[in-house]
Amino acid sequence: MGFEVVTLVASMFGVMVGLGKFREGPALATLMVGGCVFVGAVLAEPTFATRAMGGGGQQGTTGMGVSLLGPALARIAAGLGLVVLSGVIPLSRDFRAARPWLVRAVVLGVPALGLAASPRLPVVGPLLRQMPTAGAVLAGVLGFLVFTVLFSAAVHCAVRALETGRAR
């Protein structure tokens, strides 16, 4: 019930931002509302955590015989949609200036995500398991360092792209 109250209050602030009651920081306000909706939906459905940790096999929560999984997934999608829209707000102000920074963020972010997912790939995972322990640890440490550099640079470029839309 607490997550529903937080989502309701955040939604009321979102409506007030949409109506122009708060002139400063509409993108940040939209980001916070989207984050509250997303986190509230994820934490309100207890089977999400067990599925994310590989527990699987559990049915979604039901209320009066109706599955609550569909509405929870819809709220997650709505929260993520608001988060994405919060990035569109500053970018729409001066997209020409933001474009080079966005391209750099994508060029650096895609390999970082690929590196993060690589242990789950059918080629890399078995290869890491066949390596001696010291080699696997060294590969993990080096992979983590490369990931950290790529991810940090991608986030920096994304932030710079968002800064180009700062109201002057």
Side-chain angles (χ1 to χ4, degrees), residues 101 104-105 108-109 147-159:
W101 290 106
R104 290 177 193 142
L108 294 165
F147 166 78
T148 303
V149 169
L150 289 172
F151 184 73
S152 299
V155 169
H156 171 74
C157 290
V159 168

Side-chain angles (χ1 to χ4, degrees), residues 45-111:
E45 173 58 54
T47 60
F48 283 143
T50 56
R51 288 181 190 165
M53 294 169 32
Q58 291 187 358
Q59 297 295 324
T61 306
T62 58
M64 297 192 311
V66 177
S67 174
L68 300 179
L69 186 60
L73 290 174
R75 287 177 47 202
I76 286 173
L80 289 175
L82 286 170
V83 168
V84 169
L85 286 176
S86 73
V88 172
I89 292 170
L91 293 178
S92 65
R93 290 182 180 153
D94 190 4
F95 186 71
R96 189 175 303 141
R99 188 180 355 202
W101 290 106
L102 285 176
V103 169
R104 290 177 193 142
V106 169
V107 166
L108 294 165
V110 168

Side-chain angles (χ1 to χ4, degrees), residues 11-74:
S11 299
M12 290 189 310
F13 275 104
V15 168
M16 288 191 290
V17 168
L19 293 174
K21 301 290 183 191
F22 305 109
R23 299 250 182 240
E24 295 294 319
L28 185 60
T30 306
L31 177 68
M32 295 298 110
V33 170
C36 286
V37 170
F38 175 79
V39 170
V42 168
L43 295 178
E45 173 58 54
T47 60
F48 283 143
T50 56
R51 288 181 190 165
M53 294 169 32
Q58 291 187 358
Q59 297 295 324
T61 306
T62 58
M64 297 192 311
V66 177
S67 174
L68 300 179
L69 186 60
L73 290 174

